[in-house]
Amino acid sequence: MGRGRVQLKRIENKINRQVTFSKRRSGLLKKAHEISVLCDAELALIIFSSRGKLYEYSTDNCIERIIERYERYSYAEKAHLMNDSEPQDDLCQDYGYLKGKVDALQRSRSHLMGEKLDNLSIKELQQLEHQLETALKHIRSQTNQQLLHSIDVLQRKEKSLLEQKIVLEKKVIESENSIKMLQQMQASELSHAEASHSSPPTLEATNSLPTMNIGGHTWPAVLLAKMSHFCSDENCPPASVEDFCLQINII
């Protein structure tokens, strides 16, 4: 006689229930792997135990991509079926889809912030660690690029400032030299002017004046005019021009 159909019901014994769960779980994961390899199918399997522990299997360890594909397909199917429904129903469908996306993004953000990690498996934690390491590498690379760019800009500014400093120093030196030359010229002109004012008149200056020959001597006309006032009965006419100049204190 053949075996009768086994009635499926909850196993009351806790130990037997746990053993059965472990065996059936392993067999289910094995079957999922076989169908994925044999039939080249994308497959995602999610199992939660009675204690809330997560077990999963996915093709190429891309369960997030498969779930996202499922959500897109499910949303497209629902949109197609509800195409003739009222606008209010469409809004409800959109709300449900967007709410699911927001919840998924919030969970992902919490995991990246190191929060709510108790329900993650070892594989999920390893994937999360890999994502964080990749993100950290990109951040460090971008930071280094920004620092190198800032250093290059500062070096260019430094070079420009040094060139401006050299130009200004040359202008200052040229201005100082021009001021010194101007001061020397003013001092030279002042010394020449003082020398010309302090030198006494000489006979050479009188030689350029109009002259008259009297008594065998050449007399300037100006001295003749002075001599006419100077000479009297007590003062006889001088014998020469030099004697007259000495008498009137010209020389």
Side-chain angles (χ1 to χ4, degrees):
M1 294 178 62
R3 297 178 57 185
R5 178 176 297 181
V6 179
Q7 184 181 3
L8 294 178
K9 64 178 182 178
R10 182 176 182 272
I11 301 174
E12 298 298 333
N13 187 282
K14 185 177 180 181
I15 297 175
N16 293 338
R17 186 170 62 244
Q18 184 64 31
V19 172
T20 303
F21 173 78
S22 179
K23 291 180 180 180
R24 295 295 181 94
R25 183 199 66 212
S26 300
L28 185 59
L29 293 175
K30 183 179 178 181
K31 291 295 182 181
H33 176 69
E34 290 176 355
I35 192 173
S36 173
V37 174
L38 295 175
C39 302
D40 192 21
E42 283 192 352
L43 185 143
L45 176 62
I46 300 174
I47 304 174
F48 284 98
S49 67
S50 59
R51 297 180 179 179
K53 190 173 182 181
L54 173 66
Y55 299 92
E56 67 176 26
Y57 172 82
S58 62
T59 306
D60 297 330
N61 294 325
C62 296
I63 191 169
E64 291 85 358
R65 180 173 57 83
I66 296 174
I67 292 175
E68 185 177 357
R69 181 181 177 185
Y70 166 76
E71 290 178 347
R72 289 199 305 268
Y73 180 81
S74 176
Y75 176 74
E77 284 292 321
K78 292 178 181 179
H80 179 71
L81 294 175
M82 301 297 292
N83 190 22
D84 297 331
S85 62
E86 296 181 358
Q88 186 66 30
D89 295 336
D90 293 338
L91 292 176
C92 292
Q93 293 294 332
D94 293 340
Y95 173 78
Y97 172 74
L98 293 176
K99 187 177 185 302
K101 294 291 291 183
V102 170
D103 292 340
L105 290 174
Q106 288 180 346
R107 286 195 302 269
S108 178
R109 178 182 178 277
S110 299
H111 294 163
L112 292 174
M113 295 295 293
E115 302 172 353
K116 301 179 181 179
L117 302 177
D118 297 336
N119 296 329
L120 296 181
S121 63
I122 295 177
K123 186 181 296 184
E124 289 176 334
L125 291 173
Q126 290 176 348
Q127 291 177 355
L128 180 62
E129 183 180 5
H130 178 70
Q131 291 177 358
L132 291 174
E133 289 177 352
T134 303
L136 185 59
K137 288 180 181 178
H138 288 305
I139 293 172
R140 287 175 178 172
S141 176
Q142 187 66 26
T143 303
N144 292 333
Q145 291 180 1
Q146 292 290 342
L147 289 175
L148 292 175
H149 178 70
S150 300
I151 292 172
D152 183 60
V153 172
L154 292 175
Q155 287 177 347
R156 291 180 183 178
K157 288 184 179 180
E158 181 184 9
K159 184 178 179 181
S160 176
L161 291 174
L162 289 175
E163 292 176 354
Q164 293 178 6
K165 178 185 176 183
I166 293 173
V167 173
L168 291 175
E169 288 178 349
K170 289 182 179 179
K171 289 183 178 180
V172 170
I173 293 173
E174 292 176 357
S175 300
E176 291 178 350
N177 292 335
S178 300
I179 293 173
K180 288 181 181 179
M181 291 180 63
L182 182 61
Q183 291 176 349
Q184 290 176 358
M185 291 176 62
Q186 291 178 350
S188 177
E189 291 178 356
L190 182 62
S191 61
H192 285 304
E194 291 177 352
S196 63
H197 286 298
S198 62
S199 60
T202 60
L203 289 176
E204 294 179 357
T206 61
N207 291 335
S208 62
L209 300 175
T211 60
M212 184 177 293
N213 191 357
I214 299 176
H217 298 282
T218 301
W219 294 83
V222 176
L223 292 180
L224 290 174
K226 288 181 178 285
M227 187 174 65
S228 64
H229 295 285
F230 179 78
C231 293
S232 62
D233 295 339
E234 292 82 8
N235 296 321
C236 60
S240 65
V241 176
E242 288 79 2
D243 294 337
F244 180 71
C245 290
L246 289 174
Q247 292 177 7
I248 64 176
N249 295 324
I250 291 179
I251 301 177

